[in-house]
Structure formats: C-alpha cells, structure tokens
Amino acid sequence: MAPHFNGPAGTFLQRLNVLADLPADLSTVLHDLVANSRSLGANHDIVLQGDQPSQCCVILEGWVSRNKVGAAGKRQITSLHFSGATPDIQSLLHPVMDHNITTLTKTEVGFIPHSHMRSLMERFPVLKEAFWKDTLLELAIAREWEVNLGARSAVERTAHLFCEMATRLEWFGRATRSGSALRFELPLTQIQLGEATGLSSVHINRSMRTLRNSGMIEQSRHWFTISDLPKLAAFADFNPDYLLAERPRD
Amino acid sequence: MAPHFNGPAGTFLQRLNVLADLPADLSTVLHDLVANSRSLGANHDIVLQGDQPSQCCVILEGWVSRNKVGAAGKRQITSLHFSGATPDIQSLLHPVMDHNITTLTKTEVGFIPHSHMRSLMERFPVLKEAFWKDTLLELAIAREWEVNLGARSAVERTAHLFCEMATRLEWFGRATRSGSALRFELPLTQIQLGEATGLSSVHINRSMRTLRNSGMIEQSRHWFTISDLPKLAAFADFNPDYLLAERPRD
DNA sequence: CGTCATGTTGAGCGTCATCAACAGGAGTGG
DNA sequence: CCACTCCTGTTGATGACGCTCAACATGACG
C-alpha cells in the first residue's frame, strides 16, 4: 500500500507516488511547498495562452480545464483535471503557454516556484521521471480524446467521457461503487461538457437524456450514477487500458 | 547552427539536438545504434495496441501514424510522424501500448533496445530530458488536434493540417519556400487524411477542392504548394506557437 | 484494383427560440 | 437578528428549422 497522505496536499502526493516511488523526505518538502494556497472562484484563468509562468500550480481541491479559444471565440476543452493534478508542469521546459488553464469550479490552488522545482529535480532525479510519466499519461488521454472527437457519435462521446471520469475518480477515492454501479460528482455545466466533447450544449442535453432514458446513467444535479459500468463502457467503446499508469497500487 | 548530421540517422540526431544539447560522444553512440535498419512497405504495423515492445523504433525515412481502431472498425489517426521521430519511446515507462503505430508509406525504420536506451539515459541524463521535451511537444500537437477535431469545420480542419505539416516539414528542410509560398510532399491518401481529420475521404476530397478553387493550395499528386501561407494560416486559425519547441536553432 | 472525382440523398447535429427551475442578492418587515 | 418576497442571472429542458457532412452511388484514371 502506498503511504497514507493527509492534508490539502494529500492527493497531490498520492498521485506523484503512483507515478514513481518518492523518498519520504521529498514528500515532506513538496508537502510544505504547497502549504500556502489560494482560493479561486469558478471560471478563473490560472494561466493564459502566451503567459510565461515562473511557478507551477498544484490543484488541491476543485476542477480545472486546459482549453484553447479559437479566432471565432469557440472554446475547446482539451483535458480535465481534479485534485492532485499539476497541469502546467510543462512550463518548466516549454516556457510559453500554448493554452489556457481555467477553473471550472471553486478551486484551491497551491504554487511551487520553478526554481524550487528545478533544484528538487536535480536532487531527486526520480521526480523528473514521475513528471515525464505524468506527461505520457496525459498524452495517452489526449489521444483517446482525439478518437472521441473524431470518430464517435454524440451519445457515444458523452458516454465515453463519463466512463473516463468515473474511472479516474474512483481510482482516487472520489467515486463509490455498489455492485456494478458507480456514483460520483462531476460538477460541470452542460456548456462545459459541450466544450469538452465538441458538441453544442443543446446536444449534450439531448445525449444525456438518451443515456438517462436508456437507464445507463442516473442523475440528480451534478451527482451521477452509472448503473452498469461494463454496459456503458461497451456502448461507448471505453477501454480503460490507456489510463493504467494512473492507477494507485495497493 | 546545430551541428550537421549526415547518413540515415541524420534527421534523428538533428531532432534530438533541437530538444537538448547532446554531447558528441552520445550522438556517435546513437548513430551507430540505429545503423542496421529495416525497410517496411506502406500500411505495415510497427507495433500494435496491447504489444509490450522491448525496443524503440526510429523513423529514418518515410511516414508513420499513431492510430486507434474503434469497435466499429473506424480508425482515428492521432498523430503523424516523419523522418527523425521516435514514436514509441513511451514504451520505456509505460510498457503496454495503448495504440498502433503504422507506416503510411514505404518506410525505413531503425531500432534501439530498451536496455541500451535505459543505460544511455543513466549515463547521459540530458537524453531523458530531451525525450521528456519531445513528449511535451507531442502533447501540445495533440491538444491542437483536439481543437481541430472538436471546434473547426471540414475545410478549416483540412487547411490547418496542411499548415501544421508544412511548418513542421520546413523546419527540417523538407519544404522549399519561394516568397510566401511553400512547396512540400505529403504522401498521404485522401483516406488517410480523412482518418487524421475525422472526416470521410469523400469530404476530404471536397474540402481540398474548395482550397484549390480558392487558390490557397495548389496540388499535383502528393506535392502541394501553399501559395500564401499567412493567408491560409489566417483562414485555418493556425498559430505555430504550439510547435515552437521543435524549431531547430540556427 | 486502389485512388480520385463528383452527384444525390438524408441523418445528425448546430442554431435559434422559448420556458421552467434554481440560486443569490437586495430589500422589507417582523 | 431572522424569515419572506421580489428580482435577476445562470443553468437546464425542449421544439422548429436549416446546414454540414456521411453514406451510397458511379465513372475515370493511373
């Protein structure tokens, strides 16, 4: 079993320990680094395309998206992240941001200066490997999203997104299973779901109604229950293998 | 100017040197490692989803795609790679492939065993950083493809793909510029272009006719000329910033 | 025989419009 | 101080209509 991590930085350290075995003293340093965090409201840009950040953010609580806004004003969400994520670690190697990182809900964010991060990676090479692995995982998820956007129908896309998020959430204790059912909170508006799936919010609405009517998903507000995950996964052509590196060891 | 690399491994070493400064002895070792290569025909799978490769491939000449095939048999190409690329380096850290790597044309491929790669990374930590940076670049490209697939019309998607490939090719000396025009070879069939853009091959055909009729692209067989790159880029909402890490320094 | 080209037809999804449900804030009165 | 109402902005739900693009032709070209 991976060591138990408490406090606001708990999920962050848990996630990193999934990606590589961090020595205890490194965990302590990282824990202290994100100690002073900031609270942000929903729809707040943490970093914008073109920025040159001097620190990395750590999502301690809440949801954020990567997104790009086209010339016509249309926004595409390219990935979703929740507690424990370090979505702008890339700024260490690739100084200019090529996209925005925006909160989707009220969010608690910690920051680690690049200089600290660099010296930590020098002292603990395993940290660099953990973040490389994290980048590879993100790339695998991005590939699956490309398939979702390019090769699946509206209902399948929506179902696939729910399968992915349910799986990722469960692995970090944020979904509860009872039998083959899975219950979790996904606090995104239909507009945001549309921006993630390349659909209009109206059509997201219709797709979710289809999923509800077919009995595959139950919903009250932002709480969802997938009544039969294998069935929904088969419908959406969801195969969790591409997420495997993220699964915590037990 | 980056050092000049000759021979079949030239583009490979050139690419790596864009991502980090490799010491000369490392370059020599890498050059020798890919010496004995294999010739593959078009439409040949180099690695398949589910495989656990024990070596990394290096594309010495030709084109390959990453792709995933859905349950309904529909294929989505998630990225395109040409000479110099190392598309399955991820298998070092993430042993099971989550996608296929398939040749698009006749291709010359070299192989480097994982064991060699690992010991090289131990001896030369800069190599690990180069490949992490390569992963970050791929991720940036994947994000832009998500935007392409989710938020742009058929003609814009097609135009954007041509802008991206023209830019990437020019940076490696595989496109010739005359004024604001750019000429290059992109030896993909319309079926393959459709699989990359999430469109049917028929609609790719129509989109390209639109681009030809509007005078933005000229074509003979697989040779294309973008008559006015800034104009096409404006039309496609193409901003090359997301590719910057790949640009060779001069 | 695979690839490219082009016409026809219709499904899927976007756009626009309307309306209900709901939350938060300001003001009112107890 | 707390309840209650009113107002307003945001989200969700649903119908009507039109356009983009997929599907299915068929022929031409290497």
Side-chain angles (χ1 to χ4, degrees):
Chain A
M1 170 105 186
H4 218 113
F5 300 107
N6 297 312
T11 325
F12 167 49
L13 296 173
Q14 187 191 0
R15 231 185 95 78
L16 274 184
N17 263 278
V18 170
L19 299 162
D21 274 309
L22 304 194
D25 49 344
L26 174 54
S27 293
T28 309
V29 174
L30 288 171
H31 181 280
D32 295 346
L33 273 174
V34 298
N36 47 349
S37 61
R38 287 175 54 200
S39 291
L40 302 175
N43 273 317
H44 181 280
D45 296 308
I46 300 179
V47 286
L48 284 171
Q49 185 166 357
D51 281 359
Q52 303 198 15
S54 60
Q55 50 188 9
C56 296
C57 64
V58 182
I59 310 304
L60 301 175
E61 188 57 54
W63 289 75
V64 303
S65 77
R66 292 180 197 281
N67 61 87
K68 301 183 94 164
V69 179
K74 187 163 180 182
R75 179 188 303 255
Q76 177 69 41
I77 291 178
T78 61
S79 60
L80 295 172
H81 305 270
F82 52 88
S83 326
T86 48
D88 66 348
I89 191 81
Q90 71 151 336
S91 56
L92 271 180
L93 292 188
H94 196 162
V96 184
M97 292 296 293
D98 67 314
H99 60 275
N100 313 312
I101 298 180
T102 309
T103 62
L104 296 162
T105 64
K106 279 180 63 175
T107 304
E108 194 71 23
V109 189
F111 294 94
I112 301 179
H114 281 181
S115 50
H116 287 52
M117 197 60 108
R118 285 212 185 80
S119 60
L120 276 178
M121 285 185 180
E122 199 121 334
R123 265 178 66 201
F124 303 97
V126 68
L127 188 60
K128 193 183 280 190
E129 186 154 321
F131 280 118
W132 182 15
K133 213 163 167 180
D134 191 36
T135 307
L136 284 167
L137 170 63
E138 265 213 67
L139 183 54
I141 295 177
R143 277 191 292 262
E144 189 61 41
W145 281 43
E146 290 181 66
V147 177
N148 218 30
L149 291 162
R152 285 197 265 257
S153 74
V155 193
E156 289 165 348
R157 272 184 232 186
T158 312
H160 193 281
L161 183 65
F162 275 88
C163 287
E164 179 185 307
M165 295 323 299
T167 306
R168 289 172 58 190
L169 285 167
E170 191 196 7
W171 288 351
F172 288 92
R174 303 182 81 90
T176 58
R177 192 178 273 272
S178 40
S180 58
L182 202 50
R183 179 176 155 79
F184 56 94
E185 188 188 17
L186 186 69
L188 306 199
T189 68
Q190 294 183 344
I191 297 175
Q192 291 163 342
L193 290 172
E195 287 169 348
T197 50
L199 298 167
S200 69
S201 63
V202 176
H203 214 72
I204 277 284
N205 185 299
R206 290 194 249 260
S207 300
M208 302 223 355
R209 189 155 69 93
T210 305
L211 291 173
R212 266 185 270 119
N213 287 347
S214 72
M216 289 196 273
I217 289 184
E218 287 161 46
Q219 177 184 5
S220 76
R221 301 271 304 147
H222 289 143
W223 282 87
F224 297 88
T225 307
I226 298 179
S227 0
D228 184 347
L229 185 55
K231 187 179 164 195
L232 188 65
F235 172 77
D237 194 21
F238 172 74
N239 176 343
D241 287 354
Y242 69 99
L243 295 171
L244 266 187
E246 194 176 36
R247 163 166 261 168
R249 290 153 297 186
D250 35 27
Chain B
M1 172 97 189
H4 217 110
F5 300 107
N6 296 312
T11 324
F12 168 49
L13 295 173
Q14 187 190 0
R15 233 186 92 81
L16 274 184
N17 263 277
V18 169
L19 299 162
D21 274 311
L22 304 193
D25 48 345
L26 175 55
S27 295
T28 309
V29 174
L30 288 170
H31 181 280
D32 294 346
L33 273 175
V34 298
N36 46 351
S37 61
R38 286 174 53 199
S39 291
L40 303 174
N43 275 315
H44 181 279
D45 296 308
I46 300 178
V47 285
L48 284 171
Q49 186 167 354
D51 281 359
Q52 304 198 18
S54 60
Q55 51 188 8
C56 296
C57 65
V58 181
I59 310 303
L60 301 176
E61 188 58 54
W63 289 75
V64 301
S65 78
R66 290 180 197 283
N67 62 88
K68 300 182 94 163
V69 179
K74 188 163 180 181
R75 179 187 305 254
Q76 177 68 42
I77 292 178
T78 61
S79 61
L80 295 172
H81 305 270
F82 52 87
S83 326
T86 47
D88 65 349
I89 190 82
Q90 71 151 336
S91 55
L92 269 181
L93 292 188
H94 196 161
V96 183
M97 292 297 293
D98 66 313
H99 60 275
N100 313 311
I101 299 180
T102 309
T103 62
L104 295 162
T105 64
K106 279 181 64 175
T107 304
E108 194 71 23
V109 189
F111 294 94
I112 301 179
H114 281 181
S115 50
H116 285 52
M117 198 60 108
R118 285 213 185 82
S119 60
L120 276 178
M121 286 187 179
E122 198 123 334
R123 266 176 66 200
F124 303 96
V126 69
L127 187 60
K128 193 183 279 188
E129 185 154 322
F131 280 118
W132 182 16
K133 213 163 167 180
D134 191 37
T135 307
L136 284 167
L137 171 63
E138 265 213 68
L139 183 54
I141 296 177
R143 277 191 291 262
E144 190 61 39
W145 279 43
E146 289 180 65
V147 177
N148 218 29
L149 291 162
R152 286 196 265 258
S153 74
V155 193
E156 289 165 349
R157 270 184 233 186
T158 312
H160 193 281
L161 183 65
F162 276 88
C163 287
E164 178 184 307
M165 295 323 299
T167 306
R168 289 171 58 188
L169 285 166
E170 191 196 8
W171 288 351
F172 288 93
R174 304 182 81 90
T176 58
R177 194 179 272 273
S178 40
S180 58
L182 202 51
R183 179 175 155 79
F184 56 95
E185 187 188 17
L186 186 69
L188 306 199
T189 67
Q190 294 183 345
I191 296 176
Q192 291 162 342
L193 290 172
E195 287 169 347
T197 51
L199 298 168
S200 69
S201 62
V202 175
H203 213 71
I204 278 283
N205 185 300
R206 289 194 242 263
S207 300
M208 302 225 355
R209 188 156 69 93
T210 305
L211 292 172
R212 266 185 269 119
N213 287 347
S214 72
M216 290 196 275
I217 288 185
E218 288 160 46
Q219 177 184 4
S220 76
R221 300 270 304 150
H222 289 144
W223 283 87
F224 298 89
T225 307
I226 298 179
S227 1
D228 184 348
L229 184 55
K231 187 178 162 194
L232 188 66
F235 172 76
D237 193 22
F238 172 74
N239 176 342
D241 286 355
Y242 69 99
L243 295 171
L244 266 187
E246 194 176 36
R247 164 166 260 167
R249 291 152 295 188
D250 36 27

